[in-house]
Each structure stands twice: as C-alpha cells, then as structure tokens.
Amino acid sequence: EAGVAQSPRYKIIEKRQSVAFWCNPISGHATLYWYQQILGQGPKLLIQFQNNGVVDDSQLPKDRFSAERLKGVDSTLKIQPAKLEDSAVYLCASSLGGMLGQFFGPGTRLTVL
Amino acid sequence: GNSVTQMEGPVTLSEEAFLTINCTYTATGYPSLFWYVQYPGEGLQLLLKATKADDKGSNKGFEATYRKETTSFHLEKGSVQVSDSAVYFCALSFQGGSEKLVFGKGTKLTVNP
C-alpha cells in the first residue's frame, strides 16, 4: 500500500514570494491533516479536512495561508506572501478516522530567505 | 488548553542501555496517548498508543503505560540499539471531533555502539 505522498521535498524562496505544497493521502483515507513543524518543536496542526470539508482551521494564519482539498482526495497548501518565520517542515497526514492513527508523509522543508 | 511536555534532550546512550523518555500531559478530559518516532530523513511513524487509563502500548521492544493519576505516558526500552537513534514525540488526541494530534517538542535519542 502506497503511503502519503508529498511534493516538493525541499523548497527555498525569498520572503514575500508565494509557494504551494501538494499532498496525496493514502487511498480511501477520508481525513487529511496539514501540520507545521518548526525546528526544535513538535508538529502543530494547521488545518484538517474530512473529505473536502474543513473540520478545524483554528490555527491556520488565514491572512497568508490557504488550503483546499478538491474532490476529497489530493490537497494543496499555499502561502502567500511568505515570511521568514514560515521556515519549517510542512507535514501532511491522513487517517481513516477513529483511533487507528494518522499516517504521515515525508514532509516538505521550506526555507524562506 | 491541552498540552504535552517531554523531557529535554538530547539523550545519548550506549548500546544495550535502558531508555526512559518522560512525557506528561495536561488535558481537559481523557485523551488517547501516542508515541511517534522520526528516523533521520524520514516521516513520522506511529510507534505505540494507549487509549485509556492503565493501558500499556508496546511495539519493537518499546513500552509506555497510560497513568491517569500522574498524567504521564513515559516511554521505556530495556536495551536500546544503534538503530533506535531518532527523534521521539509524545502526543495526545481526543476520539471523536477533530482527533488532531497535540505534540510535545520531541526528544532526540542517539545510541552509540
């Protein structure tokens, strides 16, 4: 069974530029999460989707971050414009729900210069 | 709010030494508890979990017991190997609703031969 796929793996941009990340969850997983992991910290949830609806986006900086999950499968996370403090690893995870656990992708490491 | 506190790292051990990584939590209600592991260059993987008080999660020689009275979920292994070198994250989640994971900051473990 294929795992959670993310691309790109690495991205370097300058501040005020835009960037987008892509995630393809495990087939059949209805729930998809985006986490931000700043160096030296644990991951923090940015947004959670159930199929193509948003369940929780309370910690998403909506003035610059946006995310969508069209057709309830793939998802994209966008930052526009980026700030220096957005440098982090962006993790995508998916789950079937319940306490079966979340499965994480390899992450996208973003560096904002 | 809900939070997880892990012991400060890094932790350096010799092969076959005993490992304990402390984890305590603060939560409104009774969460499920998890340990995730992140090997170098890889994504987060679920190591073990416990869903109610006094449950013991175990996997790959690692164990952790859900202690409600001390709000703790300490990770232990009797004899570590070089291949156990990784970053370990303690996390909590509530069944139903968002089910988002709230992570600790992580503890880096290095095992020397």
Side-chain angles (χ1 to χ4, degrees):
Chain A
E1 178 182 86
V4 176
Q6 290 188 247
S7 68
R9 291 294 309 276
Y10 305 92
K11 189 73 177 179
I12 300 174
I13 61 172
E14 296 190 349
K15 60 183 179 184
R16 292 188 289 274
Q17 286 187 323
S18 302
V19 64
F21 314 127
W22 173 82
C23 173
N24 181 235
I26 293 173
S27 178
H29 282 195
T31 308
L32 185 148
Y33 307 81
W34 283 101
Y35 290 86
Q36 180 192 55
Q37 185 178 12
I38 293 173
L39 185 65
Q41 299 182 21
K44 180 187 77 173
L45 180 73
L46 291 175
I47 189 167
Q48 176 187 351
F49 292 94
Q50 180 74 19
N51 295 308
N52 60 351
V54 175
V55 174
D56 185 347
D57 64 355
S58 57
Q59 297 192 84
L60 185 74
K62 298 181 185 65
D63 57 333
R64 298 184 300 105
F65 286 64
S66 64
E68 60 182 10
R69 191 182 184 197
L70 300 176
K71 302 181 181 179
V73 182
D74 293 7
S75 177
T76 55
L77 176 70
K78 298 179 181 179
I79 308 175
Q80 180 179 12
K83 293 185 175 181
L84 297 177
E85 59 260 36
D86 298 331
S87 294
V89 176
Y90 291 84
L91 298 167
C92 180
S94 70
S95 78
L96 282 170
M99 285 295 108
L100 298 176
Q102 296 178 26
F103 295 83
F104 284 80
T108 297
R109 182 177 298 277
L110 173 67
T111 301
V112 182
L113 303 176
Chain B
N2 302 315
S3 65
V4 173
T5 302
Q6 288 182 236
M7 65 184 286
E8 294 278 334
V11 174
T12 302
L13 296 173
S14 297
E15 207 164 23
E16 299 183 3
F18 184 85
L19 169 71
T20 300
I21 301 178
N22 291 337
C23 170
T24 57
Y25 67 89
T26 301
T28 51
Y30 301 104
S32 294
L33 301 173
F34 304 82
W35 277 100
Y36 278 80
V37 59
Q38 190 170 36
Y39 297 104
E42 299 184 17
L44 283 164
Q45 300 175 26
L46 178 63
L47 180 60
L48 54 83
K49 66 181 180 183
T51 58
K52 61 183 187 296
D54 300 325
D55 268 3
K56 177 186 283 188
S58 61
N59 186 24
K60 299 181 180 180
F62 291 88
E63 292 183 340
T65 300
Y66 189 144
R67 301 287 188 199
K68 187 177 71 172
E69 62 276 13
T70 55
T71 62
S72 64
F73 193 55
H74 305 321
L75 182 69
E76 296 182 337
K77 187 174 186 182
S79 176
V80 293
Q81 305 300 312
V82 173
S83 57
D84 294 326
S85 297
V87 181
Y88 293 81
F89 292 91
C90 186
L92 64 79
S93 176
F94 287 93
Q95 191 168 4
S98 168
E99 293 183 357
K100 69 180 181 184
L101 288 163
V102 175
F103 286 91
K105 291 186 176 182
T107 302
K108 183 176 182 180
L109 170 66
T110 300
V111 181
N112 295 318

